[in-house]
Amino acid sequence: MEKEGGKPAAVVAVVTEPRFTQRYREYLEKQKLLDRQHRVEKMPDGTVALPVLGEALPEQHLRELTNRVAPGSTCVLTQLLDPVPSRKARGFSPAQRLCLEVRRWVEGCGVTWSAELEADLPRSWQRHGDLLLLSEDCFQAKQWRNLEPELWETVALALGVQRLAKRGRVSPDGARTPAVSLLLGDSVWVEHVDNGIRYKFDVTQCMFSFGNITEKLRVASLPCAGEVLVDLYAGIGYFTLPFLVHAGAAFVHACEWNPHAVVALRNNLELNGVVDRCQIHFGDNRKLKLSNVADRVNLGLIPSSEEGWPIACQVLRRDAGGILHIHQNVESFPGKTLQPPGNSDTEKEHWLSPQLIITNQLENGATSDSGRKMLSAATKPAWQRENELLIWKKCYELIEMKPVCAIMNSEF
């Protein structure tokens, strides 16, 4: 298991005297609790630490070790802050380890291993603490069904987790509810730490998007001290929390209509110590009663947030305008030329005066922020010029030439 940045995460280990090590190892292997991705380590006082899976070893196993497996042994838990990968773990990637372990187990069950089964194994996944979330395009072959549920125990052991879940397609229900089924384990709540912010949520009811990490880091770096923000699509707090915790927003109005996400959002505000600076508005944001309050409005919804633009303009401050953070999938329109509304010099002056900052999220997750270096109309890519005009045309109609700056997060 790794922390962000590739550094090894601390692992839990059970410590005992050297003469009891083999008995402890055999018991932990039998209970499928031994972490085989990390080496057994000798401690400075001469005792031995055996890495185990999960965040703690349940009390019943500690009693079993001291009372039955090795009477008279010392049995304490510790954390290995710099665990050493086992020789086996160093030689294979996680996907290779999974293939090796699953193939060995399948053949041990008397099932013939095939290229079809190997191609049906996952190559990537999402990790949330001790839960691994598999993609929908793996373990689809019919042969796997006859190997459940022991199959999931083998997969979890190979990848060093205690719980497994598998996702399907996101439901088109407006709340973007994920179709996730729990394969191994009892609890569906997970915790994910992202840029120092704790997110807890029900993995079967709420999504966690890894793809918007670059934009979350960017908004976390914005100077928002003293500002009021309206987050029209708050979810579990993807952007609400970075604005509050890192950007220093004075207050956030967070809008969300998924009841499961609202429960998680309320919990996450408490976890991160910012509950007193946020008001949750549960329900359809198109019916929001707020107006004339926001310095910024975040519209973090794809493929399009256009439906939220009218209410976004409604909540902007009327005296000074504000900033719209617009998220939208964009595409070019070959041969189509868009013109500003109206023909008068006054309208043209207002059309051209606002500053448009474009943050482009590319396929590899990198970003280019043209707000740092404004491009002239002649040097901007065609798709960018055309989509800027689309954004400005709509905002111009909605705000009736009030000052506004739009930040568009474009995803391909």
Side-chain angles (χ1 to χ4, degrees), residues 230 288-294 311-318:
V230 174
L288 189 64
K289 301 301 182 183
L290 286 178
S291 64
N292 189 28
V293 297
I311 194 68
C313 293
Q314 171 188 307
V315 300
L316 281 178
R317 288 175 52 186
R318 292 172 186 162

Side-chain angles (χ1 to χ4, degrees), residues 218-229 239-240 242-252 277 295-297 323 325 407:
R218 192 187 71 82
V219 301
S221 68
L222 294 174
C224 297
E227 294 185 352
V228 173
L229 176 97
F239 292 100
T240 294
F243 272 114
L244 286 169
V245 174
H246 294 309
F251 198 85
V252 173
R277 290 159 51 208
D295 299 289
R296 296 176 187 264
V297 183
I323 297 174
H325 295 258
I407 298 178

Side-chain angles (χ1 to χ4, degrees), residues 190-390:
V190 298
E191 179 171 352
H192 187 83
V193 180
D194 198 21
N195 193 24
I197 297 173
R198 297 173 64 190
Y199 299 88
K200 278 190 174 182
F201 57 98
D202 180 343
V203 75
T204 66
Q205 298 292 341
C206 303
M207 289 181 58
F208 188 90
S209 175
F210 286 85
N212 60 22
I213 179 61
T214 305
E215 178 66 4
K216 283 190 287 187
L217 291 173
R218 192 187 71 82
V219 301
S221 68
L222 294 174
C224 297
E227 294 185 352
V228 173
L229 176 97
V230 174
D231 190 350
L232 287 180
Y233 307 97
I236 65 172
Y238 309 109
F239 292 100
T240 294
L241 290 169
F243 272 114
L244 286 169
V245 174
H246 294 309
F251 198 85
V252 173
H253 294 276
C255 306
E256 179 55 47
W257 68 2
N258 179 348
H260 303 284
V262 168
V263 171
L265 174 58
R266 187 172 291 113
N267 185 42
N268 292 335
L269 291 167
E270 292 273 5
L271 280 175
N272 292 279
V274 291
V275 68
D276 59 329
R277 290 159 51 208
C278 182
Q279 180 180 352
I280 299 174
H281 300 267
F282 174 53
D284 190 337
N285 62 24
R286 291 169 296 188
K287 301 177 182 178
L288 189 64
K289 301 301 182 183
L290 286 178
S291 64
N292 189 28
V293 297
D295 299 289
R296 296 176 187 264
V297 183
N298 193 66
L299 297 105
L301 180 68
I302 55 173
S304 174
S305 60
E306 185 171 351
E307 198 168 355
W309 295 1
I311 194 68
C313 293
Q314 171 188 307
V315 300
L316 281 178
R317 288 175 52 186
R318 292 172 186 162
D319 58 344
I323 297 174
L324 305 181
H325 295 258
I326 297 173
H327 294 227
Q328 182 154 325
N329 291 352
V330 299
E331 58 184 60
S332 61
F333 301 91
K336 185 174 181 179
T337 302
L338 298 173
Q339 299 295 332
N343 299 313
S344 70
D345 291 339
T346 302
E347 288 185 346
K348 185 175 182 181
E349 179 182 350
H350 280 281
W351 174 265
L352 297 175
S353 60
Q355 179 187 20
L356 180 61
I357 302 175
I358 305 291
T359 300
N360 305 327
Q361 184 164 328
L362 308 179
E363 289 182 353
N364 61 4
T367 64
S368 60
D369 190 348
S370 63
R372 298 179 183 272
K373 183 177 180 181
M374 297 302 295
L375 299 176
S376 69
T379 59
K380 290 178 181 178
W383 70 266
Q384 182 171 324
R385 295 196 304 271
E386 293 160 357
N387 282 282
E388 284 183 22
L389 289 173
L390 282 174

Side-chain angles (χ1 to χ4, degrees), residues 127-244:
R127 186 186 293 266
H128 301 285
D130 69 347
L131 182 143
L132 204 73
L133 183 59
L134 302 171
S135 61
E136 62 181 308
D137 59 353
C138 64
F139 292 113
Q140 294 181 315
K142 294 180 180 179
Q143 296 95 310
W144 299 120
R145 298 174 189 171
N146 298 326
L147 299 172
E148 299 175 10
E150 291 81 4
L151 167 65
W152 309 129
E153 296 175 0
T154 303
V155 172
L157 188 63
L159 296 176
V161 295
Q162 291 187 309
R163 294 181 292 162
L164 281 178
K166 186 179 180 183
R167 67 170 181 258
R169 294 190 179 278
V170 176
S171 174
D173 58 0
R176 293 180 62 79
T177 305
V180 173
S181 55
L182 194 64
L183 305 176
L184 180 67
D186 298 317
S187 174
V188 294
W189 279 80
V190 298
E191 179 171 352
H192 187 83
V193 180
D194 198 21
N195 193 24
I197 297 173
R198 297 173 64 190
Y199 299 88
K200 278 190 174 182
F201 57 98
D202 180 343
V203 75
T204 66
Q205 298 292 341
C206 303
M207 289 181 58
F208 188 90
S209 175
F210 286 85
N212 60 22
I213 179 61
T214 305
E215 178 66 4
K216 283 190 287 187
L217 291 173
R218 192 187 71 82
V219 301
S221 68
L222 294 174
C224 297
E227 294 185 352
V228 173
L229 176 97
V230 174
D231 190 350
L232 287 180
Y233 307 97
I236 65 172
Y238 309 109
F239 292 100
T240 294
L241 290 169
F243 272 114
L244 286 169

Side-chain angles (χ1 to χ4, degrees), residues 7-40:
K7 296 181 180 179
V11 300
V12 176
V14 60
V15 179
T16 191
E17 294 86 355
R19 66 181 183 276
F20 298 119
T21 300
Q22 186 57 34
R23 283 188 252 176
Y24 270 49
R25 182 198 293 272
E26 291 174 355
Y27 174 81
L28 293 172
E29 284 182 337
K30 184 177 180 180
Q31 298 298 320
K32 297 184 178 181
L33 294 170
L34 185 67
D35 180 356
R36 292 191 287 179
Q37 306 307 317
H38 297 98
R39 289 177 56 181
V40 173

